[in-house]
Amino acid sequence: MRKLLLPLASLIILAMLLSACGTPSGGEIVEVEVTRIVEVTTEGETQIVSAPAPGYGEILARVKERGRVVCAGRTDLLGFGYLDDDGRNIGFDIDLCRAVAAAVLGDPEAIEIVPVTAAERGPVIQTGEVDILSRNVTWTSSRDSQWGNFTITMFYDGQGYMVRKDSGIESQDDMNGASVCVTSGTTTEKNLAADFRERGLDFEAVIFEDTSSVYGAFFEGRCDVTTSDRSQLAAIRAGADNPDDYVILPVIISKEPLTPVVPHGDDQWFDIVKIVMYTLINAENPAYGPITQATVDDILASDNIKGKTVLGVEGDWGYSSLGLEPDALANALRAVGNYSELYDRYMGPFGIAFTLPRGANEHWTNGGLIYAPPIK
Amino acid sequence: MTDAGNTKPAVAIVLPPAALKPIAWVRRNLFNNWFNSVLTLLSLGLVYFVGRAVLEWAFISADWRPVTHNPILYLIGQYPRDQLWRVGASLLLVSFLTGMSWGKWRGIMRSFALLLGIGLAILGIIPAGGQLGSLAVSVFLLTNLPVTFLGYLLGSRKFVTGSWVLGGWLISFLLIPFLLRGIGEGTMLPTVETSMWGGLLVTLILAIGGILLSFPLGVLLALGRRSSLPVLKIFSIGFIEGIRGVPLVTILFMSSIILALFLPPELRIDRLVRALIGMTIFSAAYTAENVRGGLQAVPAGQIEAAKAVGLTNFQTTRLIILPQALRAVIPAIVGQFISLFKDTTLAIIVAINELLNIGKSVLQSDVEFLQLQFEVYIFVAAVFWAFSYLMSFASRRLETTLGVGER
Amino acid sequence: MASSTSHRKSQDRKSIPFWRDERVLTAAAQVISAIIVIGGLIWIGVNLLEAAEQRGLSLGFDFINDPAGFPISESVIPYDDSYPFGTAFLVGLLNTLKVSIIGILLATILGTLVGLARISTNWIVNKIALAYIELHRNIPLLVLLFIWYFAVFNKLPPAKGSLELPGPIYLNQRGLYLSWPRLTETGGVFAVSLLVGLILAIITWVYLRRLRERSGRSTYFAGASLAVILVSAVLGLALSAWQPLWIDTPVFEGFNFTGGLRLTPEFTALLVGLVMYTAAFIAEVVRAGIQAVDFGQMEAAKAVGLKPMQILGLVIIPQAMRVIIPPLISQFLNLTKNSSLALAIGYADVFNVGRIMINQAGRAVPVFGMVMVTYLALSLITSLIMNLYNRKILISERAT
C-alpha cells in the first residue's frame, strides 16, 4: 500500500486537474453556463471557467463574470499609456479600453491594464489572455491573420526618424553609417532595415527589448538616430530634458495604422469593441452636436433625434444580439468623451502629454481619415 | 627520597606561541619575501585609490534622490496606498511568527528575529522622503520590534509545541497572499491584482514561494530518479537534465508565454503565478541534483539495517534516508536558495515588477533621474548583497548547529 | 522446537493476499506510473495541437527560408534583413558561442588568479580576493550587467570625444576600436605556415618529452619546439614577400569609426560582467581544489627541496586538477547559459534573436523549440566532455 502512495497521489491530482477542465472543444455554439471553481493551487488563484471553446459570446460572458475588462497596454508611453502621479493608468489607448468597459460594464474604472513588452503583444492576444490589445499596434495583414481581429484604426500614424538637431542630418541620405536605436519585435525594425537597404545605405542597428532602453540609449548618445511611429517620437521628445535639441524629420517611411485588437474566434466581442469605437468617432460629427462628454445627458433629455440615435437610445443598433444595454454607448461617451476630446486631452493644444497636430487623424468632416459607419 | 646531588633537569617549558606583536605580524604576513612586499605595496595602493573613489562617490557626489524620493516604491511597487494596512498586517504576522520561532527553538532563530525587528525599527527611524517618512509608517515599523518580543514570550511558554509554530507558519503562507490579493469589490478586502504588486514584496514572494514549492518537488524528483519504476526514473532523469540544460530565462519565457498554449484555453493563470511556476520548476531540478548527492552519501548499511529491523520502503525513506541525506547537503541546498533569490531579478524579462524593474522604472519616471543609473543599480545591488550575505552566514551557523560534517 | 518448525511450515502454506504481495504491487506501481506520466504528456500534447488549430498557430518549420526582415546589431557572418530566418538564428548562435568561448577563457584566467590570491599568505592580497569573491557571489548577474552596461559603458564619451590610447585604440560609448592586424593577399600563406609550424612544434614537444622520459637523456624539447615555430614563421614571412599583415586602424568617418576591430559596448559589457561574475565562482573552485590536496604533499615537496613555483606546478596543481575540473566545467556551462541575459542589454545572442523571430515570424513554438534544443545540445556536449574526462581520471588513479 505504501509503495502506491506516490502514484496514487499523482493520480488523484491529475484527476482533479482533468475534471476541472470541463468538456473539450466541441465547436458548437451552446448556452454559456458559467461555473467558477476557485482552486488555490499555488500562491495565487486560478479561475477555471467551464465554457465551450472560444466562440460567440464567450469573451463578453467572461468579462461580465470577472467584473472587468483586461487590456494589454503600456504604462510608460506618454500620451498613449502611462501612469499619472497617483499611479492611475491614463492615455489615449487606455481611454479606449475605458470606453469599452463603460459600455459593457457601466464603469470606466473596471479595467485591468496588463503591461506587455512589444515582443509579447502577439502571444498575449493569441492566447486570449487579454480581451483587448490597445497598445500602439500597427495593423498589418500578417498580424491580422496571426494575432487576432483588428477592430478599427483609431490613430493613423507613420514611421519617422528623430535625430539631434546638431547632427546635421536632414534626410535618410545623410544617415549613411549612422547608429540607429530601435525596439525589437516591431514593424519599425523591419521598415528601418528595408528603407536603408533600398537606398543602399549602411547603418548600425542598436536593438533593445524595451522601449525605455531604446530612448535612454538615444538620449545618452549611443546612437545618432532613433526611429518609431511619429506619435511615439513626439511623446518621447516631449519627455526629454530639452526637447528643442531634438528634431523629428519630416519623412514618413511607412503607414502605421494603430488599431485595437481583439482575439480571434469571438465575433460578438469584435462587434462590441468596433461599435464603441464608431460611437466615439460619430459623436464628433458637427451634424449631431457634436456630442461631448458634458452634453451627453442634455442630448439624451432633448428632442435631438439624430443625436439620440448616435447615443443608441433610439432604435435597435444591435445591442440585443450583442448582449448590451441600450445606453451602453451613452455610457462610453460619458466616460471618455468623443474622439476629439479624447485626442485633445492628451495631444491637443492643451494636451497634458504633448501637442501633435491631428494631421491624418482629423475627422472626415474636416478632411481627415477618421470615419465610422453610422449607428443605426 | 631526594638525593642532594640530583639536580632536576631543567625542563624547558614550551609556551604556546604568543600572539605576534603588530610589527612582527606585518613582517610575517605582508612582507615575508620581496614578491610579497611588492604585492602588498601594490594592493595597498589599489585599496587606497579605489576605496577613496568609492567613498567619495557614495557620500559626496552621488545623488541619491531616486532612492530617497519615494523609498516605498521599492518595497511594494504600485500597491494602492490606502490598502497599505494589508501589507503592514502581513509584516506584523511575520514578525510575530519569527518571534514565536525564536521562543520555541532558540539558536539561530534568535538572530533572525532580532535582525528583523531591529532592522525594521531602523527603517522606521531613518528620515526618508515620500510615504516612508510619514509618522504613521514610522510608528508602524517600530511596533514590529515589540510584536517580535510578544511572539517570543508566547513561543517560550511550555504548552506551545513545535507543531503549533509550524502550523502558524503554514497558515500564514496561505493567508498572506490571500490577504494581499483580496476578495472582491465592496468588501473589506478589495481585490488588488498581482500586477499592482511590486518591488521587494514581489521579490520575496517569488523567492520564498519558489523555495517552499521547489523543495518538496526536488526531493520527489531525486527519489524518482533513484526509483526502480522505469517510467518514473526516465521521466525524472529527462525532466532534471532537460531543465538543468537550459537557462532560467527560457524557462520563465516558457512558463509565461508558451505554457498558455499547453493548457486548455479556459485556464488563465495569473502572471505572477506563472513566473513562480517557472522559478519552482527550475529550482526543483537543481535541488533534485543536490539531494541526489546526499542520497548517495547515505551508507548502504543504514538501508540494510532498516530493512533488517522491518521498516517498509516508505518508512525507511522518511525516517532513515532523508534526514541523513538532507543534513549532508545543507550547504548545497542553501546555496541553491540563495541563487534562487538572486535569480528573481530575471523575472524582469517577463514583465514582473520586482525590485530591479522598479529601479529601472524609477529612472525613467523623472527626467532628472535619467542619468542616475549608478546610484539606483548600486542600491539594488546592495539590497541583494545584504540579503544574500545574511543567508549564507545563516547557513554556516545552521551547519554548525546541525553538526554537518561531524556526525 | 519441533512445534515451532511445524508452526512455521503451516504458516508458509498460507498465501500472501495479492494486495500485499510485493510482486503484484511492484507491477501495479509500474503500470500506474506509466499511465500517469504518459497520460500527462499526451494531455499536454493534445492541448497544444488543439490550441494551434484553434488560433491558427502554425507548428511547422517552413518559415526557415523566408526572409527575416529584421536587422541584427552585430554578426560574425555577413547578414542583413534580406537573409532568411535560418541565417538569423545562426547569427545568434555564433554570437552566443563567441561571447561564451572568450568569456570562458578570460574567466578561467581571472578566476585562477583570484583563487590563488585567496590562498596566498599575504594577508592583504588574501582579503582583497575575499572581498572580490564575496561581492560577486552575492549580487545577481543581471544587476551586475546593468551596472556595467548602463552605468559604465553608456557613460563613456561620445564618438567625437573618444578616449585615445596608444595603438591607436579608441574608447567611446559606441565601442572599443582596436588597431588590428589583418592578412594581406599573401598573408594567407603566412597564416598557413604558422599553423603548420604550430602543429609540428606540438608534435616535436610531445615526441621529445616522451623520448626524455624513456631514455633519460635531456633532449631540449622546449628549445626544439620553439625553433620549429620560429623557422616556420620566418619561412612564412619569406614566402609572403615579407608583408603578411597590415594594420587596420580605426578612422572616424561621418558618424562612427570605421576600420580596425570593433567591440561593441553590448558585447564588452556582457563579456566583462560574465567574466567577473564567473571568475568569483571559479576562484572558489580552484581554492577548494588546491586545498583538497593533502598538506603532506606540500611538506614532502618542501623536504625534497623543490622551490615554491615548482611545488605549485609539479605537485599541487596536477593533483588539484582532478578535483577542480568537474565543477570548473559546470561553471563553464553556467557562463554559457548566463549569456542568455544578453537580452537585457541588447546583445544579439541566440535567445534574443529567437525572441525577435517569434515576434516577426509569429511562430512561438517551433522557434522556442529551436532555442531550447540549442542550449540542451551545448550542455549535453559539455557533460559528455566532463564524463570522458572523469572516466580518464578514474582509470589513471591507482586504487587506494
Side-chain angles (χ1 to χ4, degrees):
Chain A
M1 216 46 211
R2 311 283 181 154
K3 232 180 165 179
L4 289 176
L5 196 66
L6 179 61
L8 260 176
S10 349
L11 190 61
I12 292 173
I13 295 174
L14 191 66
M16 273 165 53
L17 283 173
L18 279 171
S19 63
C21 296
T23 54
S25 58
E28 334 112 56
I29 298 167
V30 297
E31 289 268 88
V32 175
E33 189 205 302
V34 168
T35 54
R36 179 183 2 186
I37 307 167
V38 174
E39 213 182 286
V40 180
T41 48
T42 54
E43 304 285 302
E45 274 182 45
T46 50
Q47 286 192 357
I48 306 165
V49 176
S50 296
Y56 196 87
E58 186 211 76
I59 299 184
L60 180 64
R62 230 190 297 162
V63 164
K64 283 196 171 149
E65 184 259 309
R66 201 194 291 131
R68 59 187 184 280
V69 177
V70 177
C71 297
R74 294 192 66 158
T75 51
D76 57 351
L77 183 59
L78 204 60
F80 285 91
Y82 61 117
L83 304 173
D84 67 5
D85 289 329
D86 299 317
R88 201 169 152 264
N89 295 94
I90 56 176
F92 185 83
D93 287 332
I94 308 292
D95 278 355
L96 293 180
C97 199
R98 288 191 195 276
V100 174
V104 171
L105 299 169
D107 176 14
E109 299 300 318
I111 57 169
E112 180 193 334
I113 304 293
V114 177
V116 293
T117 58
E120 289 176 316
R121 292 175 299 179
V124 115
I125 195 75
Q126 272 173 330
T127 55
E129 178 190 334
V130 300
D131 305 315
I132 305 179
L133 175 64
S134 181
R135 197 209 173 278
N136 273 173
V137 181
T138 308
W139 189 350
T140 67
S141 54
S142 60
R143 287 179 182 176
D144 208 345
S145 47
Q146 284 163 10
W147 289 13
N149 287 327
F150 281 71
T151 50
I152 169 177
T153 303
M154 294 301 275
F155 199 100
Y156 290 90
D157 208 351
Q159 182 172 342
Y161 294 108
M162 178 156 72
V163 301
R164 249 175 295 278
K165 206 175 261 185
D166 54 15
S167 65
I169 301 178
E170 284 172 17
S171 75
Q172 288 104 311
D173 297 307
D174 297 333
M175 289 187 211
N176 195 10
S179 304
V180 184
C181 286
V182 69
T183 317
S184 80
T186 55
T187 49
T188 317
E189 206 179 14
K190 296 172 86 156
N191 296 333
L192 167 72
D195 190 32
F196 271 76
R197 185 159 43 87
E198 276 157 30
R199 290 168 190 275
L201 302 170
D202 264 326
F203 72 103
E204 186 220 341
V206 182
I207 309 175
F208 293 97
E209 247 260 308
D210 61 324
T211 38
S212 42
S213 305
V214 171
Y215 299 118
F218 172 70
F219 287 128
E220 294 262 5
R222 172 76 181 79
C223 31
D224 309 294
V225 185
T226 184
T227 175
S228 179
D229 303 338
R230 296 178 88 233
S231 62
Q232 205 178 103
L233 291 177
I236 297 298
R237 182 169 168 270
D241 219 354
N242 32 2
D244 295 320
D245 285 348
Y246 304 98
V247 153
I248 301 177
L249 296 181
V251 296
I252 299 185
I253 65 171
S254 79
K255 288 194 289 210
E256 304 286 328
L258 304 181
T259 312
V261 192
V262 296
H264 271 147
D266 187 343
D267 289 335
Q268 188 193 57
W269 184 248
F270 188 27
D271 291 336
I272 291 175
V273 176
K274 276 193 294 188
I275 292 177
V276 171
M277 302 294 144
Y278 299 161
T279 307
L280 300 180
I281 294 175
N282 285 328
E284 191 190 343
N285 193 332
Y288 307 129
I291 311 174
T292 65
Q293 217 172 3
T295 59
V296 171
D297 294 306
D298 297 336
I299 296 200
L300 282 177
S302 72
D303 295 326
N304 186 340
I305 303 282
K306 279 192 190 159
K308 285 160 89 169
T309 316
V310 170
L311 287 174
V313 293
E314 285 281 327
D316 182 5
W317 46 270
Y319 62 83
S320 42
S321 20
L322 292 180
L324 296 177
E325 298 301 309
D327 61 354
L329 303 180
N331 287 338
L333 263 174
R334 214 178 284 129
V336 301
N338 65 32
Y339 186 89
S340 66
E341 291 183 286
L342 187 58
Y343 188 100
D344 289 340
R345 183 177 304 138
Y346 300 103
M347 300 174 265
F350 304 106
I352 60 177
F354 52 88
T355 304
L356 187 68
R358 279 176 70 168
N361 293 313
E362 281 287 355
H363 200 254
W364 61 274
T365 50
N366 275 340
L369 293 174
I370 298 293
Y371 185 97
I375 306 286
K376 60 162 103 159
Chain B
M1 316 285 357
T2 50
D3 194 346
N6 250 351
T7 47
K8 281 205 182 113
V11 176
I13 303 171
V14 179
L15 294 161
L20 292 171
K21 291 210 254 333
I23 307 277
W25 181 88
V26 166
R27 285 196 66 184
R28 184 131 87 98
N29 283 322
L30 297 180
F31 292 105
N32 53 355
N33 60 36
W34 69 267
F35 181 63
N36 263 342
S37 310
V38 169
L39 271 183
T40 306
L41 287 171
L42 283 174
S43 317
L44 280 172
L46 184 71
V47 169
Y48 173 70
F49 279 119
V50 171
R52 201 181 80 155
V54 168
L55 286 171
E56 226 175 44
W57 173 81
F59 289 105
I60 304 180
S61 54
D63 184 355
W64 291 103
R65 269 182 306 149
V67 177
T68 57
H69 172 71
N70 199 357
I72 214 166
L73 262 182
Y74 289 94
L75 292 177
I76 56 174
Q78 260 185 290
Y79 206 91
R81 301 295 184 253
D82 55 345
Q83 297 292 320
L84 216 50
W85 66 269
R86 286 147 78 170
V87 181
S90 313
L91 198 55
L92 277 175
L93 188 60
V94 170
S95 303
F96 184 72
L97 282 170
T98 318
M100 241 174 108
S101 314
W102 170 24
K104 183 81 197 99
W105 290 312
R106 308 299 164 126
I108 196 171
M109 294 311 298
R110 183 174 73 136
S111 323
F112 274 142
L114 286 176
L115 205 65
L116 187 64
I118 296 178
L120 288 171
I122 293 179
L123 212 58
I125 298 178
I126 54 172
Q131 205 110 14
L132 206 57
S134 76
L135 193 62
V137 177
S138 291
V139 166
F140 162 75
L141 286 170
L142 282 166
T143 56
N144 274 295
L145 190 56
V147 164
T148 311
F149 277 117
L150 267 175
Y152 169 67
L153 287 173
L154 184 60
S156 39
R157 295 271 156 276
K158 290 286 183 232
F159 63 86
V160 172
T161 67
S163 7
W164 283 35
V165 183
L166 279 176
W169 278 115
L170 195 64
I171 294 179
S172 74
F173 286 137
L174 294 174
L175 192 65
I176 289 178
F178 176 72
L179 184 68
L180 289 174
R181 190 151 183 284
I183 339 178
E185 298 301 321
T187 62
M188 209 174 54
L189 293 177
T191 319
V192 177
E193 289 301 323
T194 53
S195 44
M196 304 287 278
W197 306 5
L200 200 56
L201 176 67
V202 169
T203 301
L204 286 174
I205 286 182
L206 278 178
I208 296 178
I211 289 170
L212 288 178
L213 293 172
S214 70
F215 187 71
L217 190 59
V219 171
L220 282 176
L221 279 171
L223 291 173
R225 190 168 179 162
R226 277 164 52 100
S227 103
S228 45
L229 306 172
V231 175
L232 268 180
K233 186 169 178 166
I234 294 176
F235 173 72
S236 301
I237 294 181
F239 188 87
I240 293 175
E241 293 303 325
I243 301 291
R244 272 163 49 99
V246 293
L248 178 55
V249 280
T250 50
I251 306 279
L252 281 177
F253 185 71
M254 181 188 83
S255 73
S256 238
I257 297 180
I258 310 279
L259 194 69
L261 294 174
F262 288 121
L263 297 174
E266 298 84 30
L267 210 66
R268 182 188 162 228
I269 305 184
D270 192 275
R271 292 200 118 217
L272 191 60
V273 172
R274 268 182 269 163
L276 187 61
I277 290 176
M279 309 222 66
T280 305
I281 291 177
F282 186 76
S283 179
Y286 282 80
T287 308
E289 277 299 283
N290 289 331
V291 171
R292 179 169 86 115
L295 289 172
Q296 282 174 342
V298 174
Q302 295 279 314
I303 307 178
E304 293 169 348
K307 285 215 171 103
V309 170
L311 298 172
T312 64
N313 254 344
F314 185 61
Q315 280 172 327
T316 319
T317 312
R318 187 170 79 87
L319 297 168
I320 308 290
I321 299 182
L322 276 184
Q324 296 187 59
L326 292 177
R327 192 196 298 149
V329 293
I330 282 176
I333 290 183
V334 177
Q336 171 58 28
F337 292 163
I338 296 177
S339 297
L340 185 66
F341 180 74
K342 292 188 302 172
D343 284 340
T344 55
T345 48
L346 267 58
I348 201 177
I349 308 271
V350 288
I352 300 282
N353 227 352
E354 45 73 59
L355 186 60
L356 185 61
N357 209 348
I358 294 275
K360 209 155 177 255
S361 357
V362 166
L363 280 174
Q364 285 137 24
S365 63
D366 193 332
V367 213
E368 298 183 27
F369 292 165
L370 218 53
Q371 302 292 333
L372 302 175
Q373 280 112 339
F374 233 142
E375 283 81 347
V376 172
Y377 292 136
I378 296 277
F379 170 70
V380 172
V383 171
F384 274 105
W385 191 90
F387 274 94
S388 306
Y389 191 73
L390 284 172
M391 278 197 272
S392 47
F393 176 73
S395 120
R396 283 195 287 264
R397 290 281 306 266
L398 197 65
E399 282 172 47
T400 40
T401 314
L402 289 177
V404 173
E406 290 166 26
R407 54 184 164 94
Chain C
M1 305 307 150
S3 55
S4 53
T5 32
S6 60
H7 180 72
R8 261 207 307 277
K9 277 200 194 129
S10 62
Q11 268 199 325
D12 286 342
R13 254 182 264 129
K14 278 198 217 139
S15 56
I16 308 168
F18 78 92
W19 49 273
R20 269 208 316 231
D21 189 348
E22 280 281 324
R23 298 164 301 177
V24 175
L25 284 179
T26 317
Q30 296 209 5
V31 168
I32 291 184
S33 58
I35 292 177
I36 293 176
V37 169
I38 297 180
L41 290 172
I42 291 179
W43 180 68
I44 290 177
V46 163
N47 276 330
L48 175 64
L49 290 173
E50 235 176 55
E53 195 189 294
Q54 221 165 54
R55 305 210 177 96
L57 298 170
S58 163
L59 294 177
F61 282 92
D62 46 337
F63 65 96
I64 288 284
N65 290 318
D66 294 337
F70 60 91
I72 295 183
S73 55
E74 55 184 290
S75 165
V76 178
I77 56 178
Y79 173 83
D80 72 43
D81 65 311
S82 61
Y83 281 65
F85 281 111
T87 316
F89 191 80
L90 189 62
V91 168
L93 180 59
L94 288 173
N95 280 339
T96 296
L97 288 174
K98 182 169 90 167
V99 80
S100 304
I101 292 176
I102 300 179
I104 286 175
L105 282 169
L106 292 177
T108 312
I109 297 174
L110 182 61
T112 312
L113 285 174
V114 176
L116 290 174
R118 183 79 181 88
I119 54 177
S120 148
T121 48
N122 186 326
W123 184 86
I124 205 172
V125 169
N126 195 324
K127 293 307 170 204
I128 291 182
L130 177 67
Y132 175 89
I133 293 176
E134 284 303 315
L135 178 69
H136 283 90
R137 273 170 45 137
N138 286 320
I139 66 176
L141 178 58
L142 194 56
V143 178
L144 191 65
L145 283 177
F146 272 26
I147 292 177
W148 277 110
Y149 184 67
F150 290 111
V152 175
F153 280 90
N154 259 2
K155 299 262 198 264
L156 289 171
K160 294 212 177 82
S162 313
L163 294 171
E164 194 177 325
L165 299 165
I169 297 178
Y170 297 100
L171 181 62
N172 58 49
Q173 73 181 169
R174 304 266 174 105
L176 181 67
Y177 298 86
L178 303 164
S179 300
W180 198 249
R182 291 199 196 277
L183 298 171
T184 55
E185 298 100 44
T186 51
V189 183
F190 177 63
V192 168
S193 74
L194 229 113
L195 198 64
V196 170
L198 194 66
I199 296 175
L200 284 174
I202 293 177
I203 296 176
T204 320
W205 175 292
V206 171
Y207 174 69
L208 287 178
R209 250 197 111 155
R210 292 241 182 93
L211 195 58
R212 183 177 84 153
E213 278 166 23
R214 271 201 302 254
S215 66
R217 292 184 280 125
S218 55
T219 51
Y220 308 107
F221 55 89
S225 309
L226 206 60
V228 167
I229 292 186
L230 281 172
V231 161
S232 60
V234 169
L235 198 65
L237 278 172
L239 282 174
S240 55
W242 301 103
Q243 259 200 355
L245 302 167
W246 61 281
I247 304 289
D248 192 1
T249 49
V251 170
F252 190 79
E253 241 173 45
F255 297 103
N256 291 312
F257 282 94
T258 43
L261 181 69
R262 177 182 180 216
L263 302 176
T264 57
E266 289 80 33
F267 173 74
T268 321
L270 184 65
L271 187 66
V272 169
L274 280 174
V275 165
M276 297 198 72
Y277 184 77
T278 314
F281 291 88
I282 291 182
E284 281 294 286
V285 167
V286 167
R287 178 176 76 98
I290 293 183
Q291 286 180 336
V293 176
D294 197 39
F295 192 58
Q297 296 280 316
M298 175 93 150
E299 292 175 327
K302 275 200 199 145
V304 169
L306 293 173
K307 297 202 280 281
M309 284 314 282
Q310 282 177 317
I311 298 178
L312 203 62
L314 295 171
V315 178
I316 306 283
I317 290 197
Q319 296 190 62
M321 280 308 213
R322 194 174 300 132
V323 180
I324 289 178
I325 297 283
L328 188 68
I329 294 193
S330 64
Q331 285 304 324
F332 291 168
L333 196 56
N334 278 345
L335 190 143
T336 311
K337 289 191 291 178
N338 283 338
S339 70
S340 58
L341 292 181
L343 185 65
I345 61 174
Y347 179 70
D349 79 315
V350 73
F351 184 62
N352 198 353
V353 171
R355 266 196 89 150
I356 301 178
M357 273 172 68
I358 286 180
N359 214 269
Q360 300 287 13
R363 313 297 180 101
V365 178
V367 173
F368 187 68
M370 281 161 71
V371 171
M372 295 285 254
V373 165
T374 306
Y375 280 111
L376 278 174
L378 285 173
S379 42
L380 214 64
I381 293 173
T382 316
S383 314
L384 273 172
I385 295 177
M386 182 153 83
N387 280 335
L388 279 171
Y389 178 82
N390 263 345
R391 216 173 306 154
K392 183 165 162 263
I393 292 296
L394 278 167
I395 293 174
S396 63
E397 181 177 272
R398 76 183 157 84
T400 32

